[in-house]
Amino acid sequence: MAEGDMVLIALYALGGAAAAGVLGAGVLRAVRHRSTAVSLAVVAAVCVTAMLAGTLAVARAMFLSRHDLTVVTTVVAMAAVVSFAVALVLGRWVVARSAALTLAARSFGDGGSFAAPDAAGTAELDALSRELAATSAKLNASRERERALETSRRELVAWISHDLRTPLAGVRAMAEALEDGVATDPERYFRQIRTEAERLNTMVGDLFELSRIHAGALSLTRSRMSTYDLVDDALAGVDALARELGVRLVGEQVAPVPIEVDGRQMTRVLCNLLTNALHRTPADGTVAIAAESGADDTVVVSVTDGCGGIREQDLPRVFDTGWRGTEARTPPGGAGLGLAIVRGIVEAHAGRASVRNVADGCRFEVTLPRAGA
């Protein structure tokens, strides 16, 4: 057969198949919102029709006999029957797997956990199932965090109400005693009122600071400094309290590692940790602060006290808002905001705060990026 005849046959076949393909594309567009089984059946029909159209176009051009044309048509028809059957079986299988995945996703959307269907599906359905499972896990974790935060908020409101009511009741009683002239030592009453007012002011300040942290409105003014200077400032801030409580402050293992932080905020972090440690450590005990280079270009500043340790089940909650352990809801317990503020400030510096038990107490660690890391 000449090369020109082959080209002509190819063009006739292409024309017939293209006409069938255009018609099939229109049908597919019309049924695009129907079941996958319908779309697969249409695709099978388009394939067979395109082959038949091309064959018939070539047959007419080549002037095949009626017998030969009947044979060709019969072969194509049998192929069409098999193609339709396979397409319908495959379509029903895909639809069944999609329905099972839809049912599993519905229970997941109703607030439950997503459980992938047992039967295997197509690669795309399996990928979708894995994504839904991952999303379900993230949502469950988010729900747990939300419940924990809600519990923490309720506890904080209860504790703050108690802590505000106590000093206010005392101030009111002392003011009434002074007003009625029954105070035996007015000067002592004035000093006590001032002390309670300062305590209330500190509590309100902590609440305001914590609200800024939670709102993401904490403004940091970073500067390059040494951990030695940072620790020295913190020790100077709590030295008087340590002397009053009779607790030794030790800051001998402090490496002068460069960091880039907001000096005022990080000093507050260390002062909060040191103040907590001093209040929880018995008289004649020791509170040690240290600073050293950590792994992966980090700096670890730690405060170790002699509190006797924290219950293992309480360790994950230590930095939660309002947490105060098992101690009484009275000073020096405070409002349970100090450690929450510590975590907020440290995380704003792209660091992390942690705690673990040691021999005679617990060790709080603040991990920060090293300057230039």
Side-chain angles (χ1 to χ4, degrees):
M1 184 179 292
E3 183 177 349
D5 293 337
M6 290 297 299
V7 172
L8 186 61
I9 290 173
L11 290 175
Y12 274 113
L14 178 62
V22 171
L23 178 62
V27 176
L28 277 176
R29 178 177 176 81
V31 301
R32 64 185 183 278
H33 299 303
R34 303 290 295 276
S35 170
T36 304
V38 175
S39 297
L40 287 174
V42 172
V43 169
V46 169
C47 294
V48 174
T49 304
M51 182 177 65
L52 179 60
T55 302
L56 292 177
V58 173
R60 289 183 62 85
M62 295 178 64
F63 302 103
L64 292 180
S65 66
R66 182 178 298 276
H67 176 270
D68 292 342
L69 185 59
T70 302
V71 171
V72 171
T73 306
T74 302
V75 171
V76 173
M78 293 302 101
V81 171
V82 175
S83 298
F84 277 126
V86 172
L88 289 174
V89 171
L90 178 61
R92 289 177 64 86
W93 181 80
V94 172
V95 169
R97 298 302 180 271
S98 299
L101 187 59
T102 301
L103 183 61
R106 184 177 299 121
S107 63
F108 156 51
D110 292 337
S113 296
F114 176 79
D118 295 332
T122 64
E124 292 78 10
L125 290 178
D126 287 341
L128 178 58
S129 180
R130 289 192 296 270
E131 288 298 323
L132 286 174
T135 302
S136 176
K138 292 177 182 177
L139 283 176
N140 284 335
S142 177
R143 292 190 191 105
E144 290 298 325
R145 286 196 299 271
E146 184 178 353
R147 281 193 287 266
L149 285 173
E150 182 60 29
T151 300
S152 177
R153 280 192 291 267
R154 287 197 299 267
E155 292 177 350
L156 176 62
V157 170
W159 293 345
I160 288 295
S161 299
H162 177 277
D163 288 342
L164 288 175
R165 188 183 302 114
T166 301
L168 285 173
V171 169
R172 179 178 179 178
M174 288 183 285
E176 289 176 351
L178 290 170
E179 185 178 14
D180 296 338
V182 297
T184 57
D185 187 357
E187 291 298 327
R188 183 173 67 85
Y189 276 46
F190 287 136
R191 288 194 300 271
Q192 188 63 29
I193 289 175
R194 180 182 179 85
T195 300
E196 295 295 346
E198 290 176 351
R199 180 182 162 208
L200 288 170
N201 182 66
T202 300
M203 193 180 303
V204 172
D206 286 346
L207 280 171
F208 177 71
E209 188 73 8
L210 192 61
S211 68
R212 287 205 306 158
I213 291 172
H214 286 171
L218 183 64
S219 178
L220 299 178
T221 304
R222 298 173 184 265
S223 61
R224 189 184 180 94
M225 63 187 306
S226 167
T227 52
Y228 187 87
D229 296 329
L230 180 65
V231 170
D232 187 62
D233 291 342
L235 288 175
V238 299
D239 183 66
L241 178 62
R243 294 178 183 276
E244 178 185 343
L245 298 175
V247 178
R248 291 186 299 276
L249 271 177
V250 177
E252 298 174 354
Q253 299 180 355
V254 178
V257 185
I259 53 177
E260 191 168 337
V261 296
D262 185 315
R264 183 178 65 85
Q265 294 290 357
M266 287 308 303
T267 299
R268 179 173 188 174
V269 165
L270 296 185
C271 284
N272 278 2
L273 293 178
L274 288 169
T275 300
N276 281 350
L278 290 171
H279 280 303
R280 300 304 190 278
T281 301
D284 295 330
T286 300
V287 171
I289 185 170
E292 58 187 348
S293 297
D296 301 325
D297 291 324
T298 60
V299 179
V300 179
V301 182
S302 63
V303 174
T304 305
D305 60 34
C307 68
I310 300 173
R311 294 187 308 176
E312 290 296 329
Q313 60 267 35
D314 287 338
L315 284 175
R317 297 193 55 208
V318 166
F319 292 98
D320 288 352
T321 302
W323 184 87
R324 289 186 292 188
T326 57
E327 298 205 6
R329 312 278 198 253
T330 54
L337 305 180
L339 293 179
I341 292 173
V342 165
R343 180 174 62 179
I345 294 175
V346 171
E347 290 179 351
H349 284 83
R352 68 178 184 276
S354 60
V355 61
R356 58 187 172 89
N357 287 323
V358 292
D360 298 321
C362 54
R363 176 185 172 99
F364 287 84
E365 294 183 347
V366 172
T367 304
L368 298 167
R370 186 177 182 133

